[in-house]
Amino acid sequence: MGVMKMKFTNLTAKEFSDFTDRMTYSHFTQMEGNYELKVAEGTESHLVGIKNNDNEVIAACLLTAVPVMKIFKYFYSHRGPVLDFNNEKLVECFFTGLTRYLKRHKGLFVLVDPYILESNRDADGRILKSYDNSNLINQLNHLGYQYQGHSIGYSDTSQIRWLS
């Protein structure tokens, strides 16, 4: 069996949808319907991901962009990317490719807020189970991304933190 190669690439709406529709860890903001809404609103939108050597999509991400200082762009991935964050090689390939892609598209800043569980809570907010995401945070820091901590309250620049 050969070595699995991974390639960062643009995805078609169908490739994106076929992948995100079958992933149990994909938030509705990372679905084709949201992409179509963003395009209809006139928001610059990008579908990117990773394909393996069999041309199968193994990671996907919807990014939106807004202009900054007329030249650069601020990119945001609403609850994305969608990928197996336990697969360190996939994480490295995706975020290394994303960094290169954003530089080519005049990205000044990117905000990603993956749909990853930090804790399961009951209706009163008490933690029932916690998840250790420190390896992922450390890996992303090593790849040039900076963890922003836990948001408190509401913000115009990111999604709400608590979901039910």
Side-chain angles (χ1 to χ4, degrees):
M1 189 157 134
V3 175
M4 176 156 61
K5 295 179 184 176
M6 294 183 268
K7 178 185 173 192
F8 188 93
T9 186
N10 286 95
L11 301 176
T12 67
K14 181 170 179 10
E15 289 172 326
F16 176 79
S17 179
D18 287 350
F19 177 76
T20 57
D21 284 352
R22 70 176 193 270
M23 295 297 108
T24 57
Y25 47 84
S26 181
H27 192 261
F28 74 88
T29 55
Q30 288 290 314
M31 297 295 214
E32 184 181 11
N34 193 37
Y35 170 71
E36 290 169 353
L37 175 65
K38 297 295 181 192
V39 170
E41 292 173 341
T43 303
E44 181 181 337
S45 302
H46 300 249
L47 297 176
V48 295
I50 300 288
K51 289 183 179 180
N52 64 18
N53 45 343
D54 293 326
N55 208 37
E56 298 168 328
V57 176
I58 56 174
C61 183
L62 164 59
L63 293 160
T64 55
V66 294
V68 177
M69 299 183 292
K70 297 183 182 179
I71 297 170
F72 301 104
K73 297 174 187 171
Y74 162 78
F75 283 87
Y76 182 43
S77 177
H78 305 254
R79 295 286 187 242
V82 180
L83 58 90
D84 177 1
F85 284 97
N86 294 312
N87 182 334
E88 291 182 7
K89 289 182 190 241
L90 180 58
V91 169
E92 181 175 358
C93 183
F94 181 86
F95 283 95
T96 300
L98 179 62
T99 299
R100 278 192 233 113
Y101 181 85
L102 295 176
K103 284 180 181 177
R104 285 195 316 270
H105 288 85
K106 302 201 183 297
L108 180 65
F109 181 85
V110 64
L111 177 63
V112 295
D113 61 355
Y115 189 44
I116 299 172
L117 288 175
E118 183 72 24
S119 304
N120 289 347
R121 297 176 182 263
D122 67 13
D124 296 316
R126 288 185 295 265
I127 294 175
L128 303 174
K129 181 179 180 181
S130 291
Y131 300 88
D132 181 5
N133 295 312
S134 59
N135 286 342
L136 175 61
I137 291 168
N138 290 337
Q139 182 181 17
L140 291 175
N141 283 337
H142 179 73
L143 293 169
Y145 289 77
Q146 184 178 14
Y147 180 59
Q148 300 292 307
H150 298 297
S151 60
I152 298 173
Y154 296 94
S155 168
D156 291 338
T157 61
S158 66
Q159 296 290 316
I160 58 172
R161 181 171 152 215
W162 291 34
L163 302 172
S164 59

